[in-house]
Amino acid sequence: MPAFDHIRLTTSRLLLRPLYAVDAPFVLALFTDVGFMEFGTTAPFASIDEADALVERDRKAMVVGERIRLGIERVADGALIGICTLFDMDAQSRKAEIGYGLLTQARGQGYMHEALLALLEYGFSELGLNRVQAEIDPDNIDSARSLQRLGFGKEGQLRENGVVNGVVTDSVSYGLLRRDWKLTA
Ligand SMILES: CC(C)(COP(=O)(O)OP(=O)(O)OC[C@H]1O[C@@H](n2cnc3c(N)ncnc32)[C@H](O)[C@@H]1OP(=O)(O)O)[C@@H](O)C(=O)NCCC(=O)NCCS
């Protein structure tokens, strides 16, 4: 995979771009946001050090083309409102997993749909992916709606696939193929 540290994707209301050291306060705000963390597999961040470490880990991973994590910046006021990622990239199978999340205050305005349209277009057109998949908590209704709006199909239930807030839970798997994307994009 190519280096991802210079990616900038624009939509009518958003700029998707790498996170920088100065964005650590936003990362801390996101990873302590109760709505964002509700179905998360990690504990809320306890300090800015954890946010700094995430930004630095991402920077290194993006430089070597290991994964993409982009901050979602609202053009109107320059505020970061969320993140979206392509990870577990498999060049041989031309597939990747997608992840995403918004600050609670930025929900319900179509920002994530707009951002993911741009990220998926990049994945299918620029990276040549054939498949993008997602695994979500069965109770994560908002996330399921986001995937379905983008054309993802529900493919199955993975039993006891994760631990959310200390509780063993199933995951629901979703997939979107390049040929389905061409139909919806
Ligand atoms: C998943 C998540 C991003 C979905 O957020 P969201 O606000 O529902 O998604 P969008 O930003 O795409 O907004 C869509 C909603 O805005 C509404 N909307 C309002 N104005 C809009 C506009 N101008 N354009 C498009 N949609 C608009 C849509 O109708 C839709 O509402 P609905 O679902 O009630 O029909 C959010 O719930 C989240 O961050 N959850 C926590 C993290 C998480 O669980 N991530 C998934 C696991 S990886």
Side-chain angles (χ1 to χ4, degrees):
M1 290 288 179
F4 298 129
D5 55 324
H6 296 300
I7 299 181
R8 294 173 83 80
L9 305 176
T10 52
T11 71
S12 59
R13 295 182 295 172
L14 305 170
L15 167 65
L16 278 54
R17 48 94 172 159
L19 295 168
Y20 303 110
V22 293
D23 300 321
F26 157 74
V27 173
L28 179 60
L30 188 64
F31 281 80
T32 52
D33 181 305
V34 174
F36 175 78
M37 297 301 294
E38 185 178 0
F39 297 104
T41 50
T42 56
F45 283 4
S47 74
I48 195 76
D49 294 348
E50 289 184 71
D52 287 332
L54 180 144
V55 172
E56 182 55 13
R57 271 199 313 276
D58 273 5
R59 193 189 63 74
K60 289 181 176 156
M62 303 258 287
V63 166
V64 297
E66 184 186 323
R67 65 168 178 270
I68 298 173
R69 184 179 348 237
L70 300 173
I72 302 172
E73 186 179 310
R74 186 166 50 203
V75 172
D77 59 0
L80 282 165
I81 57 170
I83 53 172
C84 53
T85 73
L86 284 175
F87 63 105
D88 279 356
M89 297 205 190
D90 182 337
Q92 195 269 327
S93 301
R94 293 191 289 126
K95 68 180 181 184
E97 186 156 345
I98 195 165
Y100 42 83
L102 289 172
L103 290 169
T104 301
Q105 70 205 36
R107 289 191 192 182
Q109 298 164 71
Y111 288 131
M112 189 53 77
H113 185 69
E114 193 171 314
L116 296 183
L117 282 175
L119 183 63
L120 287 166
E121 180 59 25
Y122 181 82
F124 287 123
S125 296
E126 298 293 322
L127 302 181
L129 295 176
N130 182 54
R131 171 183 168 81
V132 177
Q133 56 199 36
E135 286 178 11
I136 68 168
D137 190 286
D139 293 333
N140 198 343
I141 307 299
D142 291 339
S143 184
R145 262 211 306 274
S146 289
L147 293 170
Q148 285 157 4
R149 253 194 297 269
L150 290 160
F152 280 76
K154 187 172 169 179
E155 298 181 332
Q157 186 123 346
L158 309 175
R159 295 180 304 152
E160 300 192 1
N161 188 48
V163 178
V164 176
N165 297 321
V167 179
V168 176
T169 55
D170 293 355
S171 300
V172 182
S173 66
Y174 285 83
L176 179 66
L177 302 184
R178 181 190 179 83
R179 61 174 176 273
D180 303 331
W181 176 249
K182 290 296 167 200
L183 294 176
T184 52

